[in-house]
Amino acid sequence: MKKAGAYYLGQGRCRFTVWAPEKERLVLHLVQPEERKLDMQPAGDGFYTLEVKAVYPGTRYFFMPDGEQDYPDPASFHQPDGVHEASAVIDHTAYTWQDSNWRGLPFQELVLYELHVGTFTSGGTFAAIIPRLEELVETGINAIELMPVAQFPGTRNWGYDGVYPYAVQNSYGGPEGLKLLVDACHARGIAVFLDVVYNHLGPEGNYLSQFGPYFTDQYKSPWGDAINFDGVWSDGVRDYISENPLYWFEHFHLDGLRFDAIHAVIDNGAVHIWELIHQKVKKLEQCLGRRLYLTAESDYNSPRVVKSPEVGGYGFDAQWLDDFHHSLYVLLDKKGQVRYVDFGKMEQLAKAYNDGFVQSGEYVRFRKRRHGASSAGIAGDQFIAFNLNHDQAGNRAQGERLSVLVNTDRLKLAAAALMLSPYVPLLFMGEEYGDESPFFYFVSHSDKELIHAVREGRKKEFSNYKWEAEPPDPQASETFERSKLNWEKRREGKHRLLLDWHRTLIALRRSHPVLQEFSKSCVRAHVIGSQGLLLHRQTQDGLQHLVCLFNFSENLLPCSLPDWSKTWQVVLDSSANEWQVRKKNITESIPSKAKSNTALQLPPLSVLVYEGSMEF
């Protein structure tokens, strides 16, 4: 395999490789510290390569297709001066890792935490995250998921405008900064996931077309030119993309990747790009001796995303479960039905617990067609559920988080619905204490025409939703600054209450055997009236049971507990003043009646969790 990029070999030697099919000549232009122009040698399959002496880490260079004009390396490992300037040689072997004993965590034990490096702290760097890791650990969070860090234009961006998939954003701290963060996370028992984007590349600084047919006109992408996965000269493109996950795993010791919008990738070849990546990662797992997780954002609502390639699937370990969010959110915030017109019934939330996909072949008004396939039987740990993520807040005109849209009781209800679910939970940064800072869409482009296009595009997008106010200017630095978390809030009033509530829920999730069972055969949800839900979970052997009762109304809700347990014990009550997981402090016994179910009155906007056992 001819891996593209500048690989430092030690002792002042560096091997440069670039894929540029149909180019008659390819020149390496070293610009610092000493200028040299050297012709590269054809290596077959459209590759050019050259091993050069007297080149050290930090050397700046360009490539010149046909010897005409300077362009940064498409597989650059570092862009220290931004997307338009020279690439830099780095030595990946120079960093001394401290995580030799790290073997990762089982996927089903993860509590994921999505964060944006630039707005997670006031500093906006990898290094600034490290002092906050202890607070995440205290909350029970054991996996962070970084929004994309591939080099993007300027210093403010969500990351989905990245144009150098192998380069770590310079303003965040570059490759060294990311390695330091991963090392610090592993030292504290935190796994690290990274969001990667293979459905498009950003517009500014995107020079790949100057080297070869990386893109195609045969398909369309909502965000930019579609990547050429199955056309003429696509072998080089497939190598370029499929080697990227291996790069992150090998050189940055990441534990998992989250693949953005896999439905926007079109590949009609015999071996789909997702299958190719799956094959390569599985081989790397054997070499590294640890699990490497692949998760997907998908709009398909199809179980094939998580099925193995041997049975026609894509081979992802898990996929985001949007239907859980939509079903729950509209029950918490009635105004949400304007945004999610096909949701709003309690039966849909029950289906989300029981099966996974709510839209599984039914007619969907939003799409004006049938959508989805059944996921019944797919294990719960193959889904990632959430109440909030970057899209849910960032694609609202005013960037509102759930904490701004609903009150504290509803936030507690939402957190319990997530943490008691049979899915791997994901929190969005600040959600654990109800941070109220908006999370806007922001950019820092230098191209005036592109800035205008982004501004007008956002206005048009939100006009379709009939929002009353226009979104703030994505290009303005104030939009970015307002999106930063207010960490001090976590120590105050309702924010401290929510933080304690999340800690309690996560501790219960970790300690109770029932909540560590992900088989759908051990989960059953039933609707109580029109405003309540009973979630029944049990261990595989059927000996231990939890009944979780949710009241989404603002009135008392009559319900009953099953009568097959002589004694039900209260494990958790959201209406109590304090919550502890230790049973001796939080349980009370409720004898069941001989021939009838135990009658209860659920407080408004509450959740009660009871533990029982099957009597023989």
Side-chain angles (χ1 to χ4, degrees), residues 287-405:
C287 295
L288 299 181
R290 62 186 178 94
R291 284 286 279 117
L292 306 172
Y293 300 117
L294 305 179
T295 70
E297 178 196 26
S298 169
D299 193 43
Y300 289 132
N301 267 32
S302 172
R304 75 172 180 265
V305 172
V306 294
K307 289 185 176 180
S308 72
E310 287 75 16
V311 293
Y314 291 154
F316 288 96
D317 294 291
Q319 62 179 306
W320 279 27
L321 185 55
D322 288 313
D323 283 5
F324 178 88
H325 167 271
H326 302 345
S327 300
L328 179 58
Y329 168 59
V330 177
L331 296 175
L332 295 167
D333 180 11
K334 298 301 182 184
K335 295 179 181 178
Q337 198 155 26
V338 175
R339 189 179 179 94
Y340 303 110
V341 297
D342 293 284
F343 293 87
K345 297 178 181 178
M346 191 65 65
E347 290 79 3
Q348 292 173 313
L349 180 58
K351 185 177 180 180
Y353 280 121
N354 291 331
D355 296 351
F357 296 139
V358 174
Q359 297 178 349
S360 56
E362 300 86 348
Y363 179 82
V364 176
R365 283 185 292 166
F366 174 76
R367 299 174 187 272
K368 298 181 174 62
R369 62 174 176 84
R370 294 183 180 276
H371 176 65
S374 175
S375 62
I378 300 294
D381 58 356
Q382 291 187 285
F383 289 107
I384 296 169
F386 45 84
N387 292 322
L388 185 66
N389 60 43
H390 68 276
D391 275 329
Q392 306 307 334
N395 287 329
R396 301 182 70 93
Q398 298 305 307
E400 302 101 328
R401 295 163 168 267
L402 187 62
S403 57
V404 175
L405 301 171

Side-chain angles (χ1 to χ4, degrees), residues 510-548:
R510 290 249 166 80
S511 62
H512 204 291
V514 169
L515 297 179
Q516 294 163 35
E517 176 57 63
F518 292 89
S519 171
K520 288 297 183 61
S521 64
C522 298
V523 178
R524 189 51 48 191
H526 306 277
V527 174
I528 306 172
S530 62
Q531 298 291 310
L533 189 81
L534 183 154
L535 174 63
H536 175 203
R537 297 190 60 183
Q538 66 180 57
T539 52
Q540 192 73 44
D541 59 15
L543 298 179
Q544 298 186 66
H545 298 255
L546 284 182
V547 171
C548 311

Side-chain angles (χ1 to χ4, degrees), residues 27-30 35-39 64 70:
V27 174
L28 169 65
H29 184 190
L30 302 172
E35 185 176 17
R36 285 186 281 173
K37 290 184 179 180
L38 305 168
D39 278 300
M64 303 176 69
D70 283 338

Side-chain angles (χ1 to χ4, degrees), residues 39-92:
D39 278 300
M40 300 184 70
Q41 303 302 313
D45 300 323
F47 284 90
Y48 285 84
T49 189
L50 186 66
E51 187 173 316
V52 185
K53 295 180 179 179
V55 171
Y56 296 89
T59 297
R60 304 290 206 272
Y61 69 98
F62 290 105
F63 288 129
M64 303 176 69
D66 291 325
E68 294 177 353
Q69 186 174 340
D70 283 338
Y71 294 104
D73 183 353
S76 169
F77 298 158
H78 191 28
Q79 290 295 122
D81 302 309
V83 297
H84 301 290
E85 303 303 323
S87 303
V89 173
I90 67 168
D91 179 7
H92 272 304

Side-chain angles (χ1 to χ4, degrees), residues 225-267:
D225 294 335
I227 296 177
N228 174 26
F229 287 112
D230 60 6
V232 173
W233 285 112
S234 60
D235 289 349
V237 182
R238 292 167 67 83
D239 287 342
Y240 179 75
I241 295 298
S242 63
E243 288 292 312
N244 189 249
L246 310 185
Y247 174 79
W248 293 115
F249 287 132
E250 287 184 278
H251 295 296
F252 295 92
H253 292 202
L254 295 179
D255 300 279
L257 298 174
R258 180 264 192 188
F259 292 67
D260 179 64
I262 68 165
H263 53 273
V265 167
I266 301 176
D267 180 1

Side-chain angles (χ1 to χ4, degrees), residues 151-291:
Q151 186 72 42
F152 53 74
T155 58
R156 305 184 302 274
N157 200 288
W158 274 15
Y160 300 96
D161 289 323
V163 288
Y164 295 92
Y166 290 81
V168 181
Q169 177 66 18
N170 60 337
S171 60
Y172 288 169
E176 180 88 357
L178 179 55
K179 291 176 182 180
L180 285 165
L181 173 61
V182 174
D183 232 352
C185 286
H186 288 172
R188 293 162 176 81
I190 300 174
V192 183
F193 283 60
L194 175 65
D195 197 340
V196 291
V197 185
Y198 301 142
N199 50 55
H200 78 291
L201 277 81
E204 184 176 348
N206 183 349
Y207 300 113
L208 270 67
S209 293
Q210 302 299 325
F211 291 85
Y214 282 86
F215 304 102
T216 177
D217 295 330
Q218 187 173 353
Y219 312 118
K220 298 295 181 184
S221 165
W223 309 289
D225 294 335
I227 296 177
N228 174 26
F229 287 112
D230 60 6
V232 173
W233 285 112
S234 60
D235 289 349
V237 182
R238 292 167 67 83
D239 287 342
Y240 179 75
I241 295 298
S242 63
E243 288 292 312
N244 189 249
L246 310 185
Y247 174 79
W248 293 115
F249 287 132
E250 287 184 278
H251 295 296
F252 295 92
H253 292 202
L254 295 179
D255 300 279
L257 298 174
R258 180 264 192 188
F259 292 67
D260 179 64
I262 68 165
H263 53 273
V265 167
I266 301 176
D267 180 1
N268 287 314
V271 179
H272 199 286
I273 187 64
W274 304 134
E275 181 180 351
L276 177 61
I277 288 173
H278 171 86
Q279 293 171 351
K280 290 186 175 184
V281 171
K282 285 300 174 185
K283 289 181 180 179
L284 181 61
E285 274 187 344
Q286 296 175 2
C287 295
L288 299 181
R290 62 186 178 94
R291 284 286 279 117

